[in-house]
Every structure is written in structure tokens, then in C-alpha cells.
Amino acid sequence: QLQLVESGGGLVQPGGSLRLSCPASRDTLDSPIGWFRQAPGKEREGISCISGRGRVTNYVDSVKGRFTISRDNAQGTVYLQMNSLKPEDTGIYYCAADWRSFINSCALVKAPYAFWGQGTQVTVSS
């Protein structure tokens, strides 16, 4: 059973930055990894994903140009660099691993992701 443990969340002022980490094992090298966010009272939504081996990335429109997902193929860690944070970015951030191997695509929907972390809280507030 793959275990994912997110880290890097915290309280930041608007306009600030945070970097989230998801240390997946090297066994997931060929599997897409997604970052999801659940704001208070809202559904969990996909905000970014990266394909196996980091060849393809996708972002939801609301974070394009501000967030960057990357993957350390040597260690198996996936990062989400979040810049220019806004209050509406507040929520619990989860990383998730697809159980399949896809190196040319990744999805921003929950269905393909079989393994989930417990989440890390991000609060953007002055």
C-alpha cells in the first residue's frame, strides 16, 4: 500500500509563496501524481497534475501562471510551488497517485487516483 505524506503547508499572507512536497516512492515514477484542493464547504478539486516521469503537466485555470508542479525522478518527490497566493487558495491540499503508468498524460479529476495523502492545510490571510 503506497503511503503519501504531504508537507509544506502553513499560514501565508496574500502575495506570498509556499512549496508543498509529496514524497512518493520511486515505484510511482511512471504514474501520474495530482494535487487537489478542498476549500471549506466545497468539493475537492484537481488543481495540478504531472505525468509519469514528469513529461506532461496540467493546471486548472485559476492557478495557471502562479503554481508550478515538478517532479524529482531520482527521489520520487513531487513538488507544488505556489506563488502570488490569494485568499481563495485557502484549503486543504492533497497529493494523490494514479495506480496506472501514464507518461504522456495526467488527469485533474479524482477518479484515476487510488492513493491519497492526509492533506496539508494552506491558509492565505492577512
Side-chain angles (χ1 to χ4, degrees), residues 1 14 17 19 27 29 38 59 64 66 78 104 118:
Q1 182 78 6
S17 298
R19 188 176 80 157
D27 291 341
L29 185 60
Q38 188 161 19
Y59 300 91
K64 283 181 180 177
R66 300 188 298 123
V78 175
N104 292 314
Q118 294 300 306

Side-chain angles (χ1 to χ4, degrees), residues 27-125:
D27 291 341
T28 62
L29 185 60
D30 288 340
S31 299
I33 301 289
W35 281 100
F36 291 76
R37 174 173 69 200
Q38 188 161 19
K42 294 189 177 181
E43 293 288 321
R44 192 175 301 186
E45 64 167 340
I47 58 171
S48 184
C49 64
I50 189 164
S51 69
R53 301 183 184 266
R55 294 184 182 183
V56 174
T57 59
N58 285 324
Y59 300 91
V60 70
D61 286 346
S62 62
V63 307
K64 283 181 180 177
R66 300 188 298 123
F67 290 11
T68 303
I69 192 169
S70 62
R71 181 168 204 152
D72 182 336
N73 289 331
Q75 296 188 354
T77 300
V78 175
Y79 301 97
L80 184 68
Q81 178 67 44
M82 305 187 296
N83 298 329
S84 302
L85 282 161
K86 304 175 181 181
E88 51 263 43
D89 294 318
T90 294
I92 301 174
Y93 284 68
Y94 300 88
C95 70
D98 193 328
W99 63 273
R100 304 164 299 173
S101 296
F102 280 117
I103 62 172
N104 292 314
S105 66
C106 66
L108 290 178
V109 294
K110 293 183 289 184
Y113 296 95
F115 307 101
W116 291 80
Q118 294 300 306
T120 185
Q121 176 71 45
V122 171
T123 302
V124 184
S125 175

